[in-house]
Amino acid sequence: GKDSPYGDRPMTIKKIFTGGAADKNGILKVGDEILSVNNVDVTRMTRLEAWNFMKKLNDGSQVVVVRQKLDPAAKSIHREIPIVKTELVGDSNPEEKTH
C-alpha cells in the first residue's frame, strides 16, 4: 500500500485460508497483486484504507482482480503479465493455511 514501511508497494495476497473461497477457487496465489475488489480500485489506497474497506465487505460473492507473477519456468513467446478476474464465494469458517 501507499504507507508500507518499505515504501509504496502493491498490495499482495499474503495468505490463502484452507477451505476458504480462494483455496477452493484455486486461481488466487500468495504474492498476487490486488488491483480491485468489486470494481473499487485498491491500488491507490493505504494499507489501512484497504484493510478497512475489505473488512466491510458483505459475506458472499466478491469480484477480485489481481495481477499474477510470471512463472519463470513457463516457456512462452509472449511474456505478458496475466490479469485475472475471479469471483469468490466466501465460507464462514476457513482454516488458516500459508502456501
Side-chain angles (χ1 to χ4, degrees), residues 18-36:
T18 301
D23 183 41
K24 289 179 180 178
N25 179 289
I27 294 174
L28 298 178
K29 305 291 182 220
V30 170
D32 287 354
E33 179 183 344
I34 304 167
L35 302 177
S36 69

Side-chain angles (χ1 to χ4, degrees), residues 17-64:
F17 293 91
T18 301
D23 183 41
K24 289 179 180 178
N25 179 289
I27 294 174
L28 298 178
K29 305 291 182 220
V30 170
D32 287 354
E33 179 183 344
I34 304 167
L35 302 177
S36 69
V37 178
N38 295 340
N39 295 317
V40 176
D41 180 359
V42 298
T43 61
R44 293 185 175 97
M45 291 182 183
T46 65
R47 292 177 306 139
L48 184 58
E49 289 169 337
W51 176 253
N52 286 328
F53 167 71
M54 290 186 205
K55 285 192 330 187
K56 292 178 185 175
L57 294 172
N58 294 326
D59 289 341
S61 179
Q62 310 299 327
V63 176
V64 181

Side-chain angles (χ1 to χ4, degrees), residues 88-99:
L88 301 177
V89 179
D91 288 337
S92 55
N93 291 322
E95 296 176 31
E96 184 174 333
K97 167 173 83 174
T98 56
H99 289 311

